[in-house]
Amino acid sequence: MIEIKNLHANIEGKEILKGLTLNVKAGEVHAIMGPNGAGKSTLASILAGREEYEITAGEITFDGADLLELSTEERAREGLFLAFQYPVEIPGVSNVNFLRTALNEIREAKGQDPISAKEFMALVREKSKIVELDSKLASRSVNEGFSGGEKKRNEIFQMAMLNPKLAVLDETDSGLDIDALRIVAKGVNSLKSPKNASIVITHYQRLLDHIVPDFVHVLYDGRIVKTGGKELALELEDKGYDWIKEELQVS
Amino acid sequence: MAQYTENELAKDLEDQDYKFGFVTDVETETIRQGLDEGIIRLISTKKEEPEWLLKYRLTAFAAWQKMTEPEWAHVRYKKPDFQKITYFAAPKQSKKYESWDDVDPEMKETMAKLGISLEEQKKLTGVAVDFVMDSVSVATSFKSKLKELGIIFCSFSEAVQDYPELVQEHMGTIVPHTDNFYAALNAAVFTDGSFCYIPKGVRCPMELSTYFRINAEGTGQFERTLVVADEGAYVSYLEGCTAPQRDENQLHAAVVELKALKDAEIKYSTVQNWYPGDKNGVGGIFNFVTKRGLCETNAKISWTQVETGSAVTWKYPSCILKGDHSVGEFYSVAVTNNYQQADTGTKMIHLGKNTKSTIISKGISAGNSQNSYRGLVQIHKKAHKARNFSQCDSLLMTDHCGAHTFPYIECKNPSAQIEHEATTSKIGEDQLFYCKQRGISEEKAISLIVNGYCKEVLNQLPMEFAVEAQKLLAISLEGSVG
Amino acid sequence: MEEVLKQNKLHSLSAILTPTNLPFSASFLEQNNTLLEQLDLPTRKDENWKYTNLNGLKKLSLDKGASNEVLENTSISSQAHKIVIKNGVVIDSNQAIEGVRTKWSDKNLPEVMGSGALDALNVLHCSAAIEIEFSQDGTTKEVELVFENTINTHSFPRIFITCKKGSKGTVILNYQGSSENASFSNVSSFVEVEENANLSIHKIHKNGLNAFDLQREYVSQGSNSTFTINTFCLSGKMTRNDLYIKVKGNNCETFMNGAYTLKGKSHCDNHTTVDHEVAHCYSKELYKGVVDDFATNVFNGKVFVRKDAQKINAFQSNANILLSETGTVNSKPELEIYADDVKCSHGSTTGQLDDEAVFYLRSRGLSEKAAKELLVKAFLGEVLEEIDHEEVRSYVDGQIELHFTA
């Protein structure tokens, strides 16, 4: 689904990613863990196409296409979804209007007709259940006045609505209490299929109790330095990141 | 507003240019260019006016000659040559329209192009429309139905003929002919406009609407609108404006007077889309308008405006809160793009006790434009417990444009409460990115965000107008991010 | 000069003022003279003087009875070097202060043009010129200028303050007047805050009840500098401050705070302009005050952000409490923005004390007067908190208290 090869990236002249390589296939869930400042959110931003980052080397192929050649909205239309760590508020724009616009733009790009109002509302009802989102939130302005948990649930709701091929969850668990965490995870799990994939970026292991990854990668100093199964996450939770640093120094 | 789909917006966006820039090929009757007493007498004769009105015009003309053009606004333009304007241009008509069927087919087509097909409106929306082209009222719909309720809704000229006492009683009482340079000019040369009277206790059952259109070359449009809501009456009034695309600057100097008597309410909405000039700032309408309303006890006047057109706008719809417990509101969205300049805002004059005013202004500047809010909140000595709240926000789309806020706050009463807030910022990069990540194009993302930003104001508009206004905002901001 | 002024409406005014005896060059005097010929006192038709009428000045008479009351405890700071300017003239203490000059030979008197009639008038009738310079390794860190007007007099000083690269300085401009005299102060100040410098100015207007006090400060800031000006209008017939700050360098911080307590017939007008010429700067303005009796306050704050001055954060706030039926508050906060990547905001409120709060305090045994005083002090407290000079703060605090008892 997505292949990242030897990715190097700078922001304001500072190198953050230093040769990152990652391969995600359809049907897989990959977790990326790592200490603060390792480059986790940078990776998410680059995948979504934030312009502040300068790619100095490497390539990313998304479903056979050169991802870096695509604009942010083109990537979204191709099926790449980013659940933001800090979802932004857009006053005066209702969630429904926002999603309908997004959905129709994506459909238009695929040469499909716009969704009818009836179908759309049915979809909203169906998908908002997945994340137990109060239907009132759907008519409120995008993220405005939402609690932290509501914002994150809204991200997953949008993900359900847009049905992406690849979902990148950037620290979706941060700031969530245990109930909200469970709801968010349930949402993500229910969207899992053999045709799509997700990359779960997280600092803590606790999300991975609920979203079971096929692979766990440790991102450290701009590179994937260790890859394992879900047990690696537990080991990290237990021992922290220092042993990995030591291992690296030894080798 | 919910009925309007994004798809419709998309269609509208395809038509980026000023879509009202066509010229209607109807025979026009004009008089010679220039301005002198003879011209004024000629206009008055052509309109078969009573003696008192001619006198009024001549007094105004004499006052105007002693005045100078105001220069305090934050706008720059080449002053119009008042001798090079034709002050009377009317679509030639053999007789007065008795019914819709009499209207020139060419004219009907114009109205259809403007989206105000009266025929359809008759059937569907229940909006009574008065159509003013080149200063002369062309057709008024629904007249008979309104008449049953005692509501008078007709062109100003008709009102002069048919209800001279009403016109004479109220005209010029709120905006005197000495008020300012352009109001004086209007008083001297105005050719038509709309008149509306709602009798005591009557709630006007439909929106009343006037559509203004400048068509002929080299003309100015000087219309007057007078709306009187008698005690306990209610009316919602809409005003729309367009003009053809021309290289010259045409002058529009209108006067609008509103009078809300005891317990009455007037809601006045404008979607102003005069031709703004081209990308290089050539041509466009000079929109110098005086709008003012007077509230008696417990009355309410609410101004809502969406200003996207005109090369230069100079406009301050105001409320004189004379009666105790009266309420004034001003909701405004002003969008400027390319080389447009707008200096607009309001005046809230609190004279009565417990008077209340609210000002919500949203300015959006793009291209090389200049956009200013200028407002006055004045609390007089006797305005006990007066309240004002003002919120003026400006959004900047490029680094070539300007956004300015000039509020004047004057308070002479210790029990008054005045709050003014203003912010100026750039359109949110994070918001744009968020939208794009969801697959929304930049143009549409801007349109979404800007519409959201203006929601408070757009919500004040009647449904049909709100849809039109949303489209206009999107069109006006096409390609605006620098 | 007399003749020139006769043709001008300033005639009656200048006739009662003594011409300057400072060694300005002839050409400089001539330049200002010409300016006066062309200009007149500003009138209310002038947008910047819309709310302040200088007509009272024309009736000003300085030659009647001189009370020559002795002012006590006028100085504020114990750590500052002090210069006393009595009735417009520097009192020679024969004690040199490093970085400070009050005596001039014709070679070195700075000749900077101001911007209007009042600046020109200041030059032609200049009574004192004071230069203060703070430098990185200088020993002078704080200077207090005490202006005492004890008789009917005019006081037209010119003040030059420079805070050199990397230095830090504090200046207290302390205007004091005996209660009954009819003085006329007309001050032009030129302030230069160089790169990485940090200058604080505290201005106290505690003038006599018949005193006119018109002042202009022209400030320019170099990059990475910090400039703070705190203005307190405590008494006087008419106080007008025109503060122009040009922020010329990047990464500057600018703070303007003001408090005013007006009663009787006093008229106070603070005009401020922050002109952001370059990017990445921060400015914050907070003016608060109470207006009682027949007093009038005018606030006009302008934030100007020039094209290309991106990433500017500018905040401006003016809050008023109107205590009487006969007082007036005029507030005009303005934003004029020509750059897009900015965050600017302003707010203005005018209101009265919260009746509920007054009632609450009275129910706890405070008199109405004491309750109001307490609430006003709390209201002004926000400004006082911004003062980083302990003695200035306690002085102003005390004066606010006096305002209610006197």
Side-chain angles (χ1 to χ4, degrees), chain C residues 300-365:
Chain C
N300 185 332
K302 186 170 212 160
V303 175
F304 202 92
V305 179
R306 305 251 179 183
K307 191 171 173 328
D308 302 328
Q310 302 290 7
K311 305 272 180 201
I312 298 291
N313 279 359
F315 304 97
Q316 183 191 64
S317 170
N318 173 231
N320 299 284
I321 287 183
L322 183 53
L323 291 170
S324 74
E325 301 278 333
T326 42
T328 302
V329 169
N330 296 315
S331 174
K332 193 182 168 209
E334 295 177 64
L335 299 174
E336 205 167 329
I337 318 276
Y338 296 90
D340 65 335
D341 196 0
V342 298
K343 267 192 200 141
C344 300
S345 68
H346 70 212
S348 166
T349 60
T350 301
Q352 58 284 312
L353 293 174
D354 182 355
D355 286 343
E356 276 301 303
V358 174
F359 180 76
Y360 181 81
L361 291 173
R362 288 173 67 193
S363 76
R364 294 291 177 266

Side-chain angles (χ1 to χ4, degrees), chain C residues 59-351:
Chain C
K59 293 179 210 140
L60 183 76
S61 159
L62 297 179
D63 44 33
K64 269 191 282 175
S67 61
N68 212 355
E69 166 187 340
V70 178
L71 296 172
E72 282 170 7
N73 302 324
T74 50
S75 99
I76 293 171
S77 175
S78 56
Q79 54 207 312
H81 295 282
K82 215 146 303 182
I83 296 159
V84 177
I85 300 93
K86 195 161 182 177
N87 297 320
V89 185
V90 178
I91 304 296
D92 193 356
S93 63
N94 287 322
Q95 205 171 22
I97 305 167
E98 186 201 283
V100 177
R101 181 192 289 272
T102 57
K103 295 175 195 161
W104 303 92
S105 66
D106 53 12
K107 273 186 185 158
N108 45 33
L109 183 55
E111 299 190 336
V112 199
M113 285 299 284
S115 66
L118 290 165
D119 281 310
L121 199 67
N122 167 279
V123 171
L124 298 176
H125 301 280
C126 183
S127 59
I130 299 139
E131 187 182 69
I132 302 168
E133 193 177 285
F134 298 103
S135 59
Q136 215 166 346
D137 10 84
T139 52
T140 303
K141 298 293 173 204
E142 184 173 332
V143 177
E144 178 173 353
L145 305 184
V146 184
F147 297 84
E148 294 182 0
N149 288 344
T150 57
I151 54 168
N152 292 351
T153 182
H154 85 282
S155 171
F156 279 28
R158 289 172 80 71
I159 305 168
F160 305 93
I161 302 170
T162 307
C163 207
K164 298 292 246 186
K165 261 187 200 175
S167 68
K168 191 171 189 309
T170 300
V171 176
I172 299 172
L173 301 172
N174 182 1
Y175 298 87
Q176 303 273 338
S178 60
S179 57
E180 295 303 322
N181 75 55
S183 65
F184 177 20
S185 301
N186 177 22
V187 188
S188 299
S189 302
F190 303 88
V191 179
E192 186 92 34
V193 189
E194 295 186 356
E195 276 173 53
N196 294 305
N198 184 340
L199 176 70
S200 295
I201 294 180
H202 305 280
K203 272 179 81 178
I204 317 284
H205 299 269
K206 195 188 170 329
N207 291 304
L209 298 182
N210 291 311
F212 287 84
D213 190 358
L214 313 178
Q215 309 209 357
R216 293 151 307 282
E217 278 107 22
Y218 301 93
V219 183
S220 103
Q221 275 188 266
S223 51
N224 301 306
S225 67
T226 304
F227 175 64
T228 307
I229 182 159
N230 300 322
T231 307
F232 305 99
C233 302
L234 304 168
S235 60
K237 185 184 178 75
M238 176 175 284
T239 309
R240 161 80 179 218
N241 283 308
D242 281 285
L243 174 60
Y244 304 94
I245 304 175
K246 265 186 185 297
V247 187
K248 291 181 170 168
N250 293 308
N251 297 315
C252 287
E253 292 191 337
T254 310
F255 302 94
M256 293 151 281
N257 302 298
Y260 38 92
T261 52
L262 310 179
K263 60 182 180 181
K265 285 185 176 175
S266 60
H267 181 108
C268 171
D269 182 346
N270 280 297
H271 267 61
T272 68
T273 304
V274 190
D275 187 350
H276 286 286
E277 294 188 341
V278 293
H280 294 281
C281 291
Y282 176 85
S283 67
K284 183 168 175 253
E285 176 168 28
L286 174 68
Y287 272 68
K288 287 180 106 171
V290 288
V291 177
D292 206 345
D293 300 341
F294 296 88
T296 297
N297 187 68
V298 181
F299 171 81
N300 185 332
K302 186 170 212 160
V303 175
F304 202 92
V305 179
R306 305 251 179 183
K307 191 171 173 328
D308 302 328
Q310 302 290 7
K311 305 272 180 201
I312 298 291
N313 279 359
F315 304 97
Q316 183 191 64
S317 170
N318 173 231
N320 299 284
I321 287 183
L322 183 53
L323 291 170
S324 74
E325 301 278 333
T326 42
T328 302
V329 169
N330 296 315
S331 174
K332 193 182 168 209
E334 295 177 64
L335 299 174
E336 205 167 329
I337 318 276
Y338 296 90
D340 65 335
D341 196 0
V342 298
K343 267 192 200 141
C344 300
S345 68
H346 70 212
S348 166
T349 60
T350 301

Side-chain angles (χ1 to χ4, degrees), chain B residues 428-443:
Chain B
E429 292 285 351
D430 288 351
Q431 293 176 338
L432 278 177
F433 183 72
Y434 191 79
C435 291
K436 286 198 232 169
Q437 208 300 307
R438 296 300 182 249
I440 302 171
S441 65
E442 177 155 300
E443 293 286 356

Side-chain angles (χ1 to χ4, degrees), chain B residues 417-460:
Chain B
Q417 198 91 38
I418 311 167
E419 265 177 81
H420 169 95
E421 284 170 29
T423 61
T424 303
S425 58
K426 192 183 175 179
I427 188 161
E429 292 285 351
D430 288 351
Q431 293 176 338
L432 278 177
F433 183 72
Y434 191 79
C435 291
K436 286 198 232 169
Q437 208 300 307
R438 296 300 182 249
I440 302 171
S441 65
E442 177 155 300
E443 293 286 356
K444 191 156 289 181
I446 289 169
S447 148
L448 260 184
I449 295 167
V450 167
N451 267 303
Y453 171 81
C454 300
K455 191 84 161 211
E456 254 178 299
V457 175
L458 298 177
N459 277 347
Q460 298 294 326

Side-chain angles (χ1 to χ4, degrees), chain B residues 71-281:
Chain B
E71 284 176 348
W72 42 261
H74 197 93
V75 290
R76 269 187 223 163
Y77 59 94
K78 191 172 168 285
K79 288 179 184 169
D81 182 345
F82 295 98
Q83 296 306 334
K84 289 225 168 103
I85 292 172
T86 305
Y87 289 86
F88 185 83
K92 210 171 223 169
Q93 51 190 59
S94 46
K95 60 179 170 118
K96 279 195 180 141
Y97 303 111
E98 289 304 328
S99 75
W100 175 246
D101 300 328
D102 297 341
V103 176
D104 184 347
E106 188 85 34
M107 194 81 68
K108 282 185 185 171
E109 201 179 306
T110 304
M111 290 186 227
K113 275 191 206 164
L114 295 169
I116 52 159
S117 152
L118 294 188
E119 272 178 301
E120 243 175 74
Q121 298 241 8
K122 265 183 182 173
K123 287 180 217 141
L124 296 172
T125 56
V127 178
V129 180
D130 182 24
F131 182 64
V132 178
M133 180 147 125
D134 292 341
S135 340
V136 169
S137 178
V138 173
T140 308
S141 62
F142 276 111
K143 212 184 255 178
S144 53
K145 195 175 175 201
L146 293 168
K147 214 168 179 178
E148 283 167 31
L149 292 162
I151 296 171
I152 304 166
F153 178 45
C154 62
S155 72
F156 206 90
S157 329
E158 271 176 86
V160 168
Q161 302 299 334
D162 301 346
Y163 313 97
E165 325 73 42
L166 272 177
V167 175
Q168 205 173 354
E169 183 188 343
H170 299 290
M171 179 185 164
T173 55
I174 299 160
V175 180
H177 67 268
T178 48
D179 193 80
N180 67 68
F181 186 79
Y182 292 107
L185 179 64
N186 176 289
V189 304
F190 76 94
T191 35
D192 213 331
S194 287
F195 175 78
C196 170
Y197 173 81
I198 318 289
K200 263 185 198 170
V202 171
R203 220 187 138 77
C204 184
M206 60 184 83
E207 315 274 353
L208 301 185
S209 171
T210 304
Y211 209 99
F212 295 105
R213 171 91 183 153
I214 297 177
N215 193 57
E217 206 169 344
T219 55
Q221 177 142 324
F222 307 92
E223 85 275 353
R224 272 189 100 88
T225 303
L226 175 57
V227 180
V228 180
D230 213 326
E231 292 183 8
Y234 167 85
V235 63
S236 169
Y237 197 98
L238 320 175
E239 178 194 88
C241 332
T242 57
Q245 225 159 310
R246 293 194 193 283
D247 291 343
E248 56 169 8
N249 293 113
Q250 283 176 290
L251 178 62
H252 173 246
V255 168
V256 176
E257 294 178 287
L258 308 185
K259 205 172 223 178
L261 299 179
K262 190 167 168 270
D263 299 321
E265 179 176 349
I266 301 175
K267 199 172 157 58
Y268 197 103
S269 314
T270 306
V271 173
Q272 185 263 107
N273 186 25
W274 295 118
Y275 177 54
D278 69 5
K279 282 205 152 49
N280 303 312

